[in-house]
Amino acid sequence: MAVPVVDPSLNPTSARDAVEPDAVDPDATDPQRRPGRRPGRADVLAIGAYALIGVLVCLNYWVDVQHRVSSHLPTDHSWFEWLFTHGAYSVRHLENPLFSARQNAPDGVNMMANTSLLGMTIPLAPVTLLFGPQVTYALYLGGALAATAATSYWMLSRHLVRSRAGAFVGGAFLGFAPGIVHHANGQPNFVSNFLLPVIVARVLLLGRPGRWRRDGLVLGLLVAYQVFINEEMLLLTALACLVAVLAYVVQRPREARARAGGFLAALGVGGGLALLLTAYPIWYQFNGPQSYRGLQGGVFHNWGEDLMAFVTFARDTVAGDEAVEKTIGLTEQNTWFGWPLVLVTLAALVLLWRRSLAARVAGVLVVVFTVAAIGPKVRFDGVETTVDGPWAYIPDDLPLVEMMMPTRLTLVVTGAVGVLLALAWDAVGGHGRPRVPMPRAAADDTPVDSAGKATPTRRRWVRPVGYAAIALAVLPLFPRPLPAQHIDLPPHFITAGGWRPYVPAGRTLVPVPIPSNVHGLSTLRWSALTGHEFPVPGGYFIGPNELGEGVFGAPNRPTSTLIYATIDAGTVPALTGENRRQALEDLRFWRASVVVLGAHPREAVLRDLMTGLLGPAQRVDDVWLWDVRPLVD
């Protein structure tokens, strides 16, 4: 998550002190608490706990990893399995990873113009080649969640708070927040946020005297790599950094002016390096084969956040109720925090506002990105009101913004809330207290004021009540194992290589149904689980239509449309000579050599349809097969 809240002005070598200069913990000079110290036992325990939670979240996959996909987004799950295979295929065959001809034959897919996760699918190619994409998917999903929590813990504990427990709570929320876990249902690219806390820390350290070159180079490398993980989250991080830096400038204009030269110089070095490293891939994304400009009709712009979502418990948490989401309706659950966390967040903002610059910056982020996420119309408890939201005034075709989904802006709010939790825990524990001479305590350790009078109630109740309030706010959000459903493996004919004699080089295998974003989930996995050894038509991706606008899946051919209609109706329509002519034309376009039908709920109807179009089928192993080479050659 993108939450730049570090106050870099307090120390030229560390941005750790996030409270006002007159509110720094006197223990800050303790050498054991320096940002550069080696990891200690608390750090190891924190990372171990995050890893265990990551395993728990993916537990339902590990029960039967070969036969399980996400219950909520099974097609997305299969797409990312396909992506892990794409990374392995690119490494194994030394092919350009920015493009794939193994889906949407013969046109292929622009991988830079899709959520291809190349920054991880390529390094994990050995795992995929050894164990298959199902194992890689489950391993990576839990690992990405845990890694995001760990890097968030690092950022918080090294640069923001002194309490390791506070950093642990904040890191756990940043890694396993309800909206993040919701995206884990088939969208691992949105849980791959482990570089973002590091990027944020590097941005807010820019301008340190004498280090602008090195700081800029490090930032440029991090940004360039994040481009190959998730560009949308990088954009959100950049927007959050911009707002945070502006908030810092307004509140600390003198310090900002003093750091401006070095900051801009380092930013220029980092931006120049990132541009140099990503210039060709980004050009390829927008100008390469199968590139597109914007999505047809600005499809995402109506996805604004429902105001009731903030006080609702998310579906995949221990307090969540799946029935509630049907009331609120269309949402990604990015801000389903529950009412206890909303109250604690507001209380933290009120109590920390005067003493902590970091809290004020986090508060600005909460307000700005909450308002920005409302969408074109204000929605409340599932009802779209007539009140215009901010996106009503934003053109659908505005560059960079054209593909953004308003609700995802609240992922910045999620990050700000995580920081506030860490700050609140730190403050409750007494860290960041005003630097004033502490009078000697009474004999019973009861604190005394400057006049020597005992103040027994202040320290005794604040700490347990504060800790309890934070715990009661976050414990209901503890994630449950993601729901998974059974899915059959591809037919033995496919996995055992029985197809090889029928598919020569340069030809395609046409599975029935043809993969799409609605139908053909199982047949898309035929390609993923066989290492992309044969190309297939159709698929699940974003590509251009005839106007150059992005659409989901390949434009339907007459035969694919006929197949999908037959599945939906459950009966074979009356076939004509024109249907048969179009089928042959489509097979020639796809460069097909064989049509294959495996086990399917509509298997009998689909066999009758394809027999009516292509003639009698052969039963080979466990599939129905039509060798169409004599028909199309």
Side-chain angles (χ1 to χ4, degrees), residues 192-283:
S192 305
N193 302 320
F194 38 84
L195 287 185
L196 300 184
V198 185
I199 290 174
V200 167
R202 302 310 303 185
V203 167
L204 296 175
L205 288 175
L206 295 182
R208 292 182 293 177
R211 304 183 69 174
W212 60 273
R213 290 186 183 88
R214 192 183 78 170
D215 287 346
L217 291 173
V218 172
L219 178 62
L221 291 173
L222 290 169
V223 169
Y225 201 86
Q226 179 63 31
V227 167
F228 299 101
I229 296 177
N230 191 327
E231 292 178 78
E232 186 172 352
M233 290 302 296
L234 179 60
L235 176 59
L236 293 179
T237 303
L239 293 173
C241 286
L242 175 61
V243 172
V245 168
L246 291 176
Y248 171 74
V249 169
V250 169
Q251 297 179 75
R252 297 285 181 83
R254 182 178 302 174
E255 291 90 337
R257 283 195 297 270
R259 296 174 63 90
F263 181 93
L264 293 174
L267 191 63
V269 170
L273 177 60
L275 183 61
L276 177 66
L277 295 175
T278 62
Y280 178 72
I282 291 176
W283 175 89

Side-chain angles (χ1 to χ4, degrees), residues 161 163 352 355 422-433 462 467:
V161 299
S163 166
L352 296 174
R355 67 186 303 181
L423 290 172
W425 190 284
D426 210 41
V428 167
H431 299 291
R433 56 190 178 275
V462 168
Y467 287 159

Side-chain angles (χ1 to χ4, degrees), residues 557-559 578-592 614 631-632:
R557 305 284 299 184
T559 304
E578 179 62 15
N579 295 135
R580 297 180 181 90
R581 187 197 65 79
Q582 289 176 337
L584 295 179
E585 183 178 330
D586 292 340
L587 292 172
R588 292 189 184 98
F589 174 78
W590 291 325
R591 300 174 186 169
L614 305 176
L631 300 177
V632 300

Side-chain angles (χ1 to χ4, degrees), residues 175-502:
F176 298 96
I180 301 301
V181 173
H182 178 80
H183 282 289
N185 287 285
Q187 296 178 329
N189 57 315
F190 279 104
V191 309
S192 305
N193 302 320
F194 38 84
L195 287 185
L196 300 184
V198 185
I199 290 174
V200 167
R202 302 310 303 185
V203 167
L204 296 175
L205 288 175
L206 295 182
R208 292 182 293 177
R211 304 183 69 174
W212 60 273
R213 290 186 183 88
R214 192 183 78 170
D215 287 346
L217 291 173
V218 172
L219 178 62
L221 291 173
L222 290 169
V223 169
Y225 201 86
Q226 179 63 31
V227 167
F228 299 101
I229 296 177
N230 191 327
E231 292 178 78
E232 186 172 352
M233 290 302 296
L234 179 60
L235 176 59
L236 293 179
T237 303
L239 293 173
C241 286
L242 175 61
V243 172
V245 168
L246 291 176
Y248 171 74
V249 169
V250 169
Q251 297 179 75
R252 297 285 181 83
R254 182 178 302 174
E255 291 90 337
R257 283 195 297 270
R259 296 174 63 90
F263 181 93
L264 293 174
L267 191 63
V269 170
L273 177 60
L275 183 61
L276 177 66
L277 295 175
T278 62
Y280 178 72
I282 291 176
W283 175 89
Y284 197 94
Q285 175 179 347
F286 293 102
N287 299 281
Q290 292 299 104
S291 60
Y292 54 88
R293 299 298 174 90
L295 286 179
Q296 187 179 37
V299 64
F300 288 151
H301 279 214
N302 290 327
W303 285 59
E305 193 60 78
D306 192 302
L307 297 182
M308 277 295 293
F310 289 87
V311 295
T312 304
F313 291 111
R315 176 190 62 208
D316 297 316
T317 62
V318 294
D321 182 0
E322 190 168 346
V324 176
E325 67 177 344
K326 297 177 182 177
T327 302
I328 294 182
L330 192 67
T331 177
E332 288 190 333
Q333 302 189 14
N334 292 316
T335 55
W336 290 44
F337 297 143
W339 61 267
L341 182 58
V342 171
L343 293 179
V344 166
T345 301
L346 292 175
L349 278 173
V350 171
L351 296 175
L352 296 174
W353 187 264
R354 294 188 61 186
R355 67 186 303 181
S356 171
L357 174 63
R360 293 196 294 274
V361 174
V364 170
L365 291 171
V366 168
V367 172
V368 169
F369 285 90
T370 295
V371 173
I374 290 175
K377 292 290 183 182
V378 175
R379 297 173 62 240
F380 184 82
D381 200 20
V383 177
E384 186 178 275
T385 70
T386 58
V387 180
D388 284 341
W391 284 73
Y393 307 99
I394 299 177
D396 288 348
D397 57 352
L398 192 67
L400 293 180
V401 180
E402 59 190 357
M403 291 186 63
M404 289 184 65
M405 190 181 295
T407 179
R408 290 179 182 169
L409 293 170
T410 54
L411 291 173
V412 176
V413 180
T414 295
V417 170
V419 168
L420 285 169
L421 286 173
L423 290 172
W425 190 284
D426 210 41
V428 167
H431 299 291
R433 56 190 178 275
R435 190 194 298 179
V436 296
M438 298 300 293
R440 186 181 301 276
D444 60 354
D445 288 334
T446 300
V448 296
D449 61 20
S450 58
K453 297 181 179 180
T455 57
T457 59
R458 182 176 183 272
R459 192 60 60 82
R460 282 185 173 179
W461 69 266
V462 168
R463 184 171 295 184
V465 169
Y467 287 159
I470 296 172
L472 291 174
V474 298
L475 285 178
L477 305 180
F478 193 86
R480 295 186 291 187
L482 297 173
Q485 68 183 41
H486 177 86
I487 186 170
D488 291 329
L489 289 175
H492 182 263
F493 173 82
I494 296 296
T495 57
W499 55 271
R500 294 184 185 278
Y502 299 93

Side-chain angles (χ1 to χ4, degrees), residues 10 50 55 71 114 221 234 282 358 380 431 511 526 544 564:
L10 302 177
Y50 296 149
V55 171
S71 297
N114 284 268
L221 291 173
L234 179 60
I282 291 176
F380 184 82
H431 299 291
W526 292 11
Y564 303 147

